[in-house]
Amino acid sequence: SARVREVINELEKSLSHLKVPPPRLRTLIERLNAQDNLERRIAIREVELAAHNIHSNIVIERLADMLRQDEDLGVRNCAISSLNAVCSSRETISIFLDQIPREKEAELKVKMIEIVEKCTDVADSFAVVIMMDALREDHDEMVRKSAMCAIASIYKKFNPPPVEGLEDLLKERANDLNETVSTRKTAQELWK
């Protein structure tokens, strides 16, 4: 396809700094664009396993595109793991914070929230805002619980200044009898 050819041409321009041999990387990128779901999953796993040798923005962009657009849930799940392995924590957080509000699958959203929680190494108010939106708007109990835990973790690690609306949201969740006990308890602890 034209997109595969374009990616290969871009790749060939930047091969000098890559540790993975150019023909192997070219083949890997072609496989990431395969029509077959299983072939794409295997290629993604190869990227994850060779993460320390792959320093290619093209591969990272392709994995991010797969996370955003692939119809196969398994491919998207593998893309999350590979992005986490290949990217720096800053890149990972940026990609996931962009995707969390758009993600429809609760399982994938929870996985991204948990990775963001672990990777956040500075007081990132944008991460807190994204987690607040998930806590406020998501209908899935596990997503809300993960978002609450991420907010708690960020505040315990860094004690950043409160984000506007956070206190009201915490009060609301702490008193919401439809919320799980653990989510209400975490909200109460943060609120006080």
Side-chain angles (χ1 to χ4, degrees):
S1 85
R3 176 67 183 139
V4 172
R5 187 62 40 214
E6 179 184 321
V7 168
I8 290 171
N9 289 338
E10 289 175 29
L11 173 66
E12 288 174 345
K13 291 177 187 174
S14 63
L15 291 179
S16 61
H17 71 283
L18 299 175
K19 294 180 181 177
V20 173
R24 174 132 163 66
L25 189 57
R26 195 170 25 253
T27 302
L28 185 59
I29 289 174
E30 288 174 350
R31 290 179 51 224
L32 286 171
N33 289 300
Q35 294 297 316
D36 182 62
N37 291 341
L38 181 59
E39 183 68 22
R40 287 195 316 276
R41 286 183 196 181
I42 292 169
I44 291 170
R45 286 295 185 200
E46 278 186 42
V47 168
E48 186 176 354
L49 293 172
H52 63 284
N53 289 325
I54 296 178
H55 304 286
S56 170
N57 289 337
I58 296 168
V59 172
I60 292 169
E61 288 171 20
R62 179 62 187 125
L63 290 170
D65 286 344
M66 293 172 97
L67 171 61
R68 291 181 196 109
Q69 300 168 359
D70 205 285
E71 294 178 11
D72 185 77
L73 183 63
V75 167
R76 292 172 55 227
N77 194 5
C78 290
I80 291 171
S81 298
S82 291
L83 282 165
N84 189 36
V86 173
C87 297
S88 71
S89 62
R90 271 276 155 237
E91 288 174 302
T92 302
I93 290 172
S94 177
I95 292 167
F96 291 167
L97 288 178
D98 181 59
Q99 182 61 22
I100 288 169
R102 300 175 188 168
E103 185 58 57
K104 302 292 184 226
E105 295 294 330
E107 173 188 344
L108 299 183
K109 193 178 272 194
V110 166
K111 189 172 183 177
M112 287 185 284
I113 288 170
E114 289 171 350
I115 292 170
V116 167
E117 175 186 350
K118 290 175 190 163
C119 289
T120 301
D121 56 2
V122 295
D124 191 344
S125 60
F126 184 64
V128 173
V129 169
I130 296 294
M131 299 308 155
M132 286 172 57
D133 288 345
L135 181 59
R136 183 183 301 114
E137 297 171 10
D138 206 284
H139 299 292
D140 187 271
E141 181 180 309
M142 288 307 298
V143 171
R144 290 192 313 273
K145 182 176 181 168
S146 295
M148 178 60 74
C149 289
I151 291 169
S153 177
I154 291 169
Y155 273 86
K156 285 177 185 172
K157 284 191 233 176
F158 305 108
N159 197 22
V163 174
E164 185 177 330
L166 179 59
E167 187 175 334
D168 292 337
L169 180 60
L170 292 174
K171 286 179 188 176
E172 177 185 312
R173 289 297 171 211
N175 296 316
D176 186 348
L177 297 178
N178 292 324
E179 249 345 307
T180 63
V181 173
S182 63
T183 302
R184 288 197 328 250
K185 184 177 178 184
T186 305
Q188 289 168 351
E189 289 170 1
L190 276 174
W191 171 33
K192 294 179 180 181

